[in-house]
């Protein structure tokens, strides 16, 4: 395929050309609304974290030993020896979205909390299982659960978190909780589909941009969609409102993942906490790579030849910084970096414009917009 | 502990003494009701299977490739090369119970089908994950999914079946479906707890009878409890009715497992399809073993010494028929076989008597009773 044949998500696109060495901005301009209202995103994220955290910890306390300990290790609350630890807890975008979405219905932010916690549980269920399936030994600068506690505990505790997510919602016993659980189940199925695609793509030489976007929509978009609507659903939102919020979250997820894919190659190790050229070292078929390979032209062709040779190389583990830098430069020269930055901006715009379809308090709309800006502007 | 200190499930018990070589009946006398009404159990099982099977297949068809193929292999519908196969499909007790339980509410049997399918999906989710965690290479005379399709697919398809179970129920969109999903979630959490216990017991020298019964209640009782009530819940049963049916199913599950544990040692390989002394070969701390070890006396003590030596033996894999037969004889001499047979009868009685607490059509009550008799009388 060529990129201007269109994409799974919408109409035709063209791939901008980037000159080698030119800086392709990964940071889209902040949206108009956020610039004018100066929403305190840090406070918004902190609110979600503060409200969800004790409920999440109480949920984990329900697990029978040793699953409670294994889960606490996964969340970074204790270290491998069981001593208290201060895990970084991530960016907490999902809990912030879930809590905010309750306010679309003018419900109290607290209405969204069981949804925020359920979404976090499903997210972490998928991390536990994906790390094992992918053989990933590190997450958030720490050994993964299967490395520390063994594969059986990674499977078992993942299962338990998934079940606990449903339990958190269904024990509310309301019609709204049933609807929220159904949407969460749909998102979970998409997560699983995305992981199945990710695994199958590993064994293929080429992946189309459409396939990559579909996989990222499943792995990242679906759960952000659920996070962005679940508080509203618990607050009594009708299907149209919930679907609109899901649309916002889905495209926000695609923007998020495009930025993640940029950071996975060109991110500053001091900010991301990952190695330089991290995704290249893992041979990840991320958007910049896939877009560069699909772009055509001499850089694209050279990149294709090099990556095909790399796939057969037994010495790949020992490649130097310069060798990875040369591959990153080729991806950029073929236009993969600029295309991905454009894609992040495009998805960011679709996300924010989706919200126009429904009424909500102005302050809530501004906060959704500010969170979207944050997701795309972040450096880690 | 000693056995006459009572058990997790009820009051004090005494352990009957069995003479070596004496035949301890594994077959409890058929209950009065079943003898008088001659319910056609085969037809009842066939009805559950016939109603649930097409819906289960349609559910599996929803899975994205290659998960649909992997699941079809697991269910025995295709072989490892993808050719159609006629899997034995198991005894189909759970679907029969789910369909029957709808009739407690005088609802059509069909009302129970989404519940029957959801329960089957959860059961098979747990088989996929447990086989991988336990390293079991065979199930129903075939290589397990992780052996054929790899560990990642076993994890992924297990996850997908779990999600699909919730989807099947929640897409009904009714209040009853929400309640059914909540009960299924509770059962699933128990399944996971039971597997956690099973794993932890493997690393211990001794397990008490109470611990063994608790584990078996979680691994077998909880899901049979759900199967026995889910059709009624979908048919609008109140909590008291659902709890009563769960009580029947839970104790039926304990009776089922006690019989399974007897068959695991003394079952006829031609009937069970397992090796002789199957559970002994796997060093399973099943009820007859645990009861024999707890009984005290010279046979019990000798058994304890032998099993402790076996645990350290590097030659265990090559033990002869006679060596396993000697262990089985010691378990029997210590009273473990008779105690387990008594336990099966006791749980069978509790299950049937539980049903007295609620009204239901006489025919439905007789069929529940006949299914309970079948579970305890079976030879495989």
């Amino acid at each position: 395929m060529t990129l201007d044949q269109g994409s799974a998500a919408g109409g035709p696109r063209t791939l901008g050309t980037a000159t080698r060495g030119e800086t392709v901005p990964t940071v889209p301009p902040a949206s108009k609304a956020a610039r004018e209202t100066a929403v305190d995103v840090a406070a918004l994220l902190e609110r979600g974290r503060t409200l969800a955290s004790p409920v999440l910890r109480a949920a984990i306390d329900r697990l029978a030993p040793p699953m409670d300990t294994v889960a606490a290790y996964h969340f970074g609350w204790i270290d491998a020896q069981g001593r208290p630890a201060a895990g970084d807890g991530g960016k907490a975008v999902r809990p912030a979205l879930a809590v905010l979405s309750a306010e679309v219905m003018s419900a109290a932010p607290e209405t969204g909390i069981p949804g925020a916690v359920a979404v976090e549980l499903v997210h972490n269920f998928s991390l536990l299982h994906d790390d094992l399936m992918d053989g990933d030994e590190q997450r958030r600068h720490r050994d993964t659960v299967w490395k520390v506690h063994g594969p059986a505990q990674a499977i078992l505790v993942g299962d338990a978190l998934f079940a606990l997510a449903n339990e958190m919602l269904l024990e509310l016993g309301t019609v709204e909780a049933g609807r929220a659980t159904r949407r969460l189940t749909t998102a979970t199925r998409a997560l699983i589909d995305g992981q199945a695609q990710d695994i199958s793509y590993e064994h293929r030489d080429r992946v189309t941009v459409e396939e990559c976007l579909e996989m990222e929509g499943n792995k990242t978009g679906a759960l952000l969609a659920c996070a962005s609507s679940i508080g509203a659903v618990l607050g009594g939102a009708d299907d149209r409102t919930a679907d609109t919020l899901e649309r916002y979250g889905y495209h926000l997820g695609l923007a998020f993942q495009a930025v993640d894919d940029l950071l996975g190659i060109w991110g500053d190790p001091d900010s991301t906490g990952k190695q330089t050229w991290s995704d290249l070292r893992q041979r990840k078929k991320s958007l910049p790579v896939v877009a560069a390979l699909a772009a055509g032209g001499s850089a694209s062709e050279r990149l294709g030849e090099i990556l095909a040779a790399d796939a057969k190389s037994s010495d790949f583990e020992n490649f130097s910084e310069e060798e990875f830098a040369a591959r990153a430069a080729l991806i950029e020269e073929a236009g993969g970096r600029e295309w991905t930055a454009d894609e992040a901006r495009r998805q960011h715009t679709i996300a924010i414009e989706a919200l126009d379809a429904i009424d909500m308090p102005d302050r809530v709309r501004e906060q959704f917009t500010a969170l979207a800006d944050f997701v795309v502007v972040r450096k880690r």
Side-chain angles (χ1 to χ4, degrees), chain A:
Chain A
M1 62 142 275
T2 58
L3 281 173
D4 56 5
Q5 286 178 332
S7 83
R13 299 200 187 107
T14 46
L15 180 60
T17 45
T19 319
R20 183 173 4 188
E22 179 190 350
T23 303
V24 178
T26 60
V27 180
S31 72
K32 192 161 166 286
R35 264 181 289 128
E36 281 169 5
T37 58
V39 173
D40 185 347
V41 171
L44 206 52
L45 294 171
E46 187 55 32
R47 180 180 73 161
R49 205 193 319 261
T50 304
L51 288 173
S53 182
V55 182
L56 179 62
R57 285 183 182 250
I60 296 303
D61 277 346
R62 294 185 190 186
L63 297 177
M67 295 185 285
D68 53 351
T69 305
V70 175
Y73 172 79
H74 170 75
F75 282 105
W77 303 334
I78 57 173
D79 66 16
Q81 285 72 43
R83 293 170 303 212
D88 85 349
K91 291 173 282 290
V93 172
R94 284 176 302 271
L97 286 168
V99 166
L100 182 57
S101 82
E103 295 185 282
V104 170
M105 306 305 294
S106 300
E110 285 75 9
T111 306
I113 294 174
V117 172
V119 166
E120 280 310 279
L121 289 167
V122 165
H123 175 61
N124 284 283
F125 138 71
S126 79
L127 296 182
L128 279 162
H129 284 189
D130 290 0
D131 283 344
L132 175 58
M133 287 186 249
D134 300 342
D136 289 341
E137 301 187 357
Q138 291 264 318
R139 170 168 300 281
R140 297 175 195 145
H141 312 278
R142 306 164 77 228
D143 285 342
T144 45
V145 163
W146 71 268
K147 277 293 282 181
V148 175
H149 295 281
Q153 291 299 328
I155 297 171
L156 200 58
V157 175
D159 293 345
L161 297 190
F162 184 7
L164 208 47
N166 294 323
E167 187 173 299
M168 292 296 297
L169 290 174
L170 291 168
E171 70 186 5
L172 296 173
T174 61
V175 174
E176 290 75 21
R179 293 177 58 226
T181 313
R182 188 176 172 191
R183 284 177 182 266
L184 181 62
T185 299
T186 303
T188 307
R189 289 257 283 126
L191 269 182
I192 295 167
D193 285 351
Q195 174 67 3
Q197 290 164 332
D198 206 2
I199 290 173
S200 79
Y201 295 172
E202 267 174 39
H203 305 295
R204 284 168 40 182
D205 289 341
R206 285 286 174 117
V207 174
T208 68
V209 171
E210 285 82 356
E211 287 172 328
C212 187
L213 287 172
E214 192 189 336
M215 185 263 282
E216 294 192 344
N218 280 331
K219 283 194 85 162
T220 308
L223 199 60
L224 268 182
C226 188
S228 302
S229 62
I230 199 165
V233 173
L234 292 173
D238 59 18
D239 279 341
R240 185 168 160 273
T241 301
D243 290 345
T244 298
L245 292 169
E246 284 202 356
R247 188 168 151 78
Y248 159 87
Y250 183 81
H251 291 284
L252 183 64
L254 284 173
F256 183 100
Q257 193 56 50
V259 173
D260 233 43
D261 286 354
L262 289 168
L263 294 173
I265 299 178
W266 294 281
D268 176 0
D270 287 344
S271 300
T272 62
K274 295 177 181 173
Q275 281 188 288
T276 53
W277 325 113
S278 163
D279 284 357
L280 297 182
R281 292 177 195 274
Q282 291 184 56
R283 308 175 200 250
K284 234 177 117 175
K285 295 185 182 77
S286 66
L287 268 186
V289 177
V290 169
L293 290 172
S298 67
S300 173
E301 280 166 27
R302 246 187 310 147
L303 180 70
E305 289 159 15
I306 290 173
L307 295 185
D310 287 356
K312 294 176 196 147
S313 166
S314 57
D315 196 39
F316 187 80
E317 314 274 310
N318 302 317
F319 277 16
S320 66
E321 281 289 309
E322 288 68 30
E323 285 171 298
F324 288 117
R327 283 154 184 75
L330 266 183
I331 293 167
E332 188 162 341
E333 189 181 337
R337 185 178 188 175
E338 183 171 344
W339 187 86
T340 305
D342 283 347
E343 175 69 7
R345 288 183 207 104
R346 202 179 78 90
Q347 296 294 346
H348 172 267
T349 302
I350 298 175
I352 291 173
E353 288 179 358
L355 296 178
D356 293 344
I358 52 169
D359 285 330
M360 67 180 81
D362 285 347
R363 185 184 53 80
V364 175
R365 191 181 302 273
E366 287 156 10
Q367 291 179 335
F368 271 120
T369 305
L371 278 173
D373 291 349
F374 165 79
V375 158
V376 184
V377 176
R378 71 202 163 86
K379 293 190 172 165
R380 67 167 194 129

